[in-house]
Amino acid sequence: MAFLFRWLLRLASLLVFLAVGAFALTYYFAARSLPDYDATYTVTGIDAPIEIVRDNANVPHIFGQSNNDIFFALGYAHAQDRMWQMTMLRRTIQGRLSELFGERTLPIDRFMRRLNLYNHAIRSVDAQDEETTLALRAYSDGVNAWFAEVNKGARGRGAPEMWLFNHAIAPWEPADSLAVMKLMAVQLSGHASYEVLRARVSLVTDEDRLRDILPDDPTQAIAELPEYASLMNDLSGFGFAAAPVSDPLSPIRPRNLAGASNAWAAGISRSATGSTLLANDPHMQLTAPTLWYLARLELERGGVIGGTIPGMPIVLVGRNVDLGWGLTSSYLDDQDLYIEEVNPDNPNQYRTPDGWADFEARDSIINVKDGIAETLKLRWTTNGPVLSPDQLQVGAVTPAGHVTSLAWTAFSDQDTSMSAAISMMQASSVTDAVEATRGIVAPSQNITLADRNNVAMVVAGANPNRSAEHQSQGRIPTFGYLAENRWDGFMPTDENPSFLNPNTGLIGNTNNKTIEQPFPDHISFRWGDTQRVQRWERLMQTREVHTRDSFIEAQLDSVSFTARSLLPLVGADLWFTSDAAPEGTIERRRQEALQLLADWNGEMNEHLPEPLIYAAWMRELQDRLIRDDLGMLAQEFKHVDPVFIERVFRDTDGASAWCDVIQSAPVETCTDIARQSLEDALIWLDENYGSTVATLRWGDAHEATHDHPVLGTAPLLNWFVNIRQSTSGGDNTLQRGRTSGLDPYPFHNVHAAGYRGVYDFADPDSSVFISATGQSGHPLSRYYDNLGELWRRGEYIPMSLDPALARGAALGVTTLIPEE
């Protein structure tokens, strides 16, 4: 026995030794790709020495002799910290993910190949002005200089992910930066998906109920439109489709996660500082690392500081010495789907207003890791690329003998959005910046601006010129061969809505409706918000003048106008009406929950139970209201729509009909459904978070999921690469934390402000900003998540252009010296 014990001990010791050795070896190789920020490198492509001063938050402050050298250094810094992220963004837009990830990413690659956006980016290079062309080339040279340093210095292949997915990296090109901007357009656009959903729902319900479940902005009157079935023939059996498979690597966002943001500004008359104020927090999918990268560029015209996206040589949101700018999704309707009739005698032709025409066609080969390469046949009509039936679920609304094509402003070969952004970030006044925005094509954005004396907001981006006779006004797919449905170029950019120095002294946008104009001058029928703006107006108007701190307070506000307006309506017949019930029964728990909600002010604080009870109740309520009416289509409505619930409980246009369960004999009332859904919610909470109502905690369910898109689902590795944080806020608060809506964690915070900034032009160096995770994309770096806890707590770091401040707390200075 002693002999056996000794050998077992030796074997166990050996296994422990091997495990420790394997871990140490893995750590050693992974850590070799950590960059040294206090180093000197000799590079080609610059004219004079450049300094990249890393402040104590690892924000690079770049100093050089020329703009081109500065852009070179930005590319160098981006590649140092986010090499893997940049290569993934490029592979995504190229449709080449399957070369690394196999069949998992084939649907993504097929879709991106059909969109052909990378080739549009290549053709748009020649459309840029000279300054931008030089900037793109200098930036690419900087990226490639770091790639060369990785190859030369055996720096762990540049990123730890490269050990798992090793592949050759092509040099960065100017077109790659334009392609990353087009990828942003993919992530921020959702009108095509909305058209499909509206058409599908119209096939299973009448026009009144369609207005309930897909409500327009309540303040907007829309003329009655034809039903989808009346436009298309032989649609029996259509309308249903399998839910698309969601992948963290996919740039196609679900309908409710396709773009959002907040931005507001105060003019001198509403500012306590004597100059203007501006706040901005763009909302995008949360990832680790975040998409945003903070940087300061000391250009020839002065310093520029703010949020960049690795892959592009621009400060997308931020300020310079004289001007600040922020972005919010405009929701401009820049996409249309067309049902194209295929010639029954020749499948290579489709109908046009002038008769049959040949599809433009070519083959595209997708290489698949550990699989057989796939040849994809791509086709285009004059309206745009032809989609396959599974893409955007268009097969559910496409009649036999037809295909579906997509028209989109992002397909432009003359996309000068990059030139516009380069020009805008160097503008010295609101007037100059507004002029620069005229070159933006896609994605369309509301741009909020402030200089020392003026504030403005302009809708920037190409706006399709639709005919007033368009059959669906762009709201559902229409026949592509009818001339009245097709675009006639774009509206003049001078006609894009703009607002300069309003009389109120305040200007802002929370993705709410910005103009009240009839089609086709309407901008959009679909808006991203009707709720947050209510709270914003209250916070702005309750103060005569504002300060930087009051703007921060509004940016971090977690009070839900939606909760405060819905709860009295939904629970009108439930408050204090229950009979006495013994401890432990569902009736007693319902009474406790209602008592908590009755005393609640609507604050979606992470430490409170009320937000979780409210959110679970509204989720179960909407599901009970729509499940029997929509059947399988109910899966498309994972997020609570407060306007829908309000219409139902106010019986707007007979909307209370949703409360009656069609399949049951009794006639259910809305009070019945409200009570039953609250009990459903309490049972769900019991099963998932505990049975004591008062000890529930919103933050336990509302975790911010900064997940690594590639390794985030890998066992063990996900503990190292994912960042999870308890957060306040919710779907409809200014501190917006959009929930996933998907089981088993429907309240995970998956879409929020990856960047926050507040700029005070009375004292610009007192401005502040923050990003959601950290500057580095390397999981072993201490700067991978160093800003995340500050972001969660609602804290910021200084946004100063003072060189002495950056150098005084620098963690390192990278010096680039030109090669002789």
Side-chain angles (χ1 to χ4, degrees), residues 478-656:
T478 51
F479 284 121
Y481 59 80
L482 296 178
E484 62 266 29
N485 295 335
R486 297 159 69 98
W487 295 357
D488 184 15
F490 303 104
M491 305 282 280
T493 55
D494 290 343
E495 295 183 12
N496 280 8
S498 61
F499 312 86
L500 175 65
N501 292 328
N503 293 332
T504 61
L506 293 166
I507 199 166
N509 181 252
T510 63
N511 312 120
N512 54 288
K513 183 175 63 177
T514 52
I515 62 169
E516 183 69 65
Q517 292 183 6
F519 178 88
D521 302 318
H522 64 311
I523 295 298
S524 178
F525 287 121
R526 170 180 173 255
W527 301 94
D529 175 65
T530 63
Q531 305 288 309
R532 298 199 315 274
V533 67
Q534 308 287 341
R535 179 63 179 171
W536 174 74
E537 286 183 322
R538 176 71 60 85
L539 293 177
M540 292 296 106
Q541 298 296 5
T542 51
R543 292 176 181 263
E544 184 176 349
V545 292
H546 286 272
T547 65
R548 184 199 71 170
D549 289 341
S550 73
F551 267 33
I552 290 175
E553 180 184 343
Q555 203 169 64
L556 301 176
D557 184 78
S558 61
V559 174
S560 172
F561 171 88
T562 303
R564 293 172 67 158
S565 58
L566 283 185
L567 283 174
L569 191 62
V570 174
D573 297 328
L574 300 179
W575 308 118
F576 314 112
T577 60
S578 300
D579 297 327
E583 189 73 35
T585 63
I586 189 66
E587 291 81 5
R588 181 64 172 268
R589 294 183 63 221
R590 172 157 50 87
Q591 293 171 14
E592 294 170 350
L594 286 169
Q595 182 62 54
L596 285 171
L597 294 175
D599 297 333
W600 180 46
N601 70 347
E603 182 182 5
M604 305 287 287
N605 186 290
E606 61 181 294
H607 302 295
L608 296 178
E610 292 91 345
L612 182 53
I613 299 169
Y614 154 74
W617 185 7
M618 293 303 106
R619 180 172 183 260
E620 297 292 346
L621 174 62
Q622 180 166 289
D623 185 69
R624 272 190 175 264
L625 290 173
I626 69 175
R627 179 64 61 183
D628 65 309
D629 294 82
L630 299 184
M632 290 296 293
L633 269 174
Q635 69 185 353
E636 303 292 344
F637 296 89
K638 295 296 187 181
H639 288 89
V640 171
D641 192 317
V643 179
F644 165 66
I645 292 179
E646 184 172 350
R647 285 179 64 91
V648 170
F649 279 81
R650 291 191 187 278
D651 194 21
T652 304
D653 298 329
S656 63

Side-chain angles (χ1 to χ4, degrees), residues 89-107:
L89 292 175
R90 180 170 62 177
R91 279 190 173 273
T92 300
I93 196 71
Q94 289 175 332
R96 295 179 56 209
L97 292 172
S98 298
E99 294 175 11
L100 298 185
F101 307 114
E103 293 186 0
R104 163 192 167 183
T105 54
L106 260 176

Side-chain angles (χ1 to χ4, degrees), residues 594-774:
L594 286 169
Q595 182 62 54
L596 285 171
L597 294 175
D599 297 333
W600 180 46
N601 70 347
E603 182 182 5
M604 305 287 287
N605 186 290
E606 61 181 294
H607 302 295
L608 296 178
E610 292 91 345
L612 182 53
I613 299 169
Y614 154 74
W617 185 7
M618 293 303 106
R619 180 172 183 260
E620 297 292 346
L621 174 62
Q622 180 166 289
D623 185 69
R624 272 190 175 264
L625 290 173
I626 69 175
R627 179 64 61 183
D628 65 309
D629 294 82
L630 299 184
M632 290 296 293
L633 269 174
Q635 69 185 353
E636 303 292 344
F637 296 89
K638 295 296 187 181
H639 288 89
V640 171
D641 192 317
V643 179
F644 165 66
I645 292 179
E646 184 172 350
R647 285 179 64 91
V648 170
F649 279 81
R650 291 191 187 278
D651 194 21
T652 304
D653 298 329
S656 63
W658 291 89
C659 293
D660 180 37
V661 179
I662 299 173
Q663 284 84 357
S664 70
V667 177
E668 290 82 5
T669 68
C670 290
T671 299
D672 294 333
I673 298 298
R675 177 182 51 78
Q676 293 167 356
S677 59
L678 177 55
E679 293 177 357
D680 289 341
L682 291 172
I683 292 171
W684 182 85
L685 290 171
D686 185 11
E687 294 172 349
N688 290 275
Y689 296 100
S691 59
T692 305
V693 174
T695 61
L696 296 172
R697 184 175 176 274
W698 175 233
D700 291 340
H702 196 242
E703 277 192 325
T705 57
H706 310 274
D707 289 356
H708 193 289
V710 175
L711 304 178
T713 58
L716 186 62
L717 285 177
N718 57 2
W719 288 90
F720 294 94
V721 299
N722 291 344
I723 304 169
R724 296 294 178 90
Q725 299 172 310
S726 168
T727 55
S728 298
D731 287 344
N732 304 110
T733 57
L734 288 174
Q735 185 183 346
R736 182 177 177 273
R738 192 64 160 162
T739 55
S740 74
L742 303 175
D743 289 323
Y745 306 110
F747 303 124
H748 269 176
N749 178 0
V750 299
H751 194 273
Y755 170 95
R756 298 187 187 117
V758 182
Y759 324 138
D760 180 356
F761 283 97
D763 181 12
D765 279 341
S766 71
S767 302
V768 292
F769 64 160
I770 195 72
S771 70
T773 56

Side-chain angles (χ1 to χ4, degrees), residues 120-129 133 136 174-175 178 413 415:
H120 289 296
I122 292 174
R123 291 191 281 269
S124 290
V125 170
D126 292 337
Q128 311 307 312
D129 59 35
T133 300
L136 288 168
L178 300 184
D413 290 341
D415 191 339

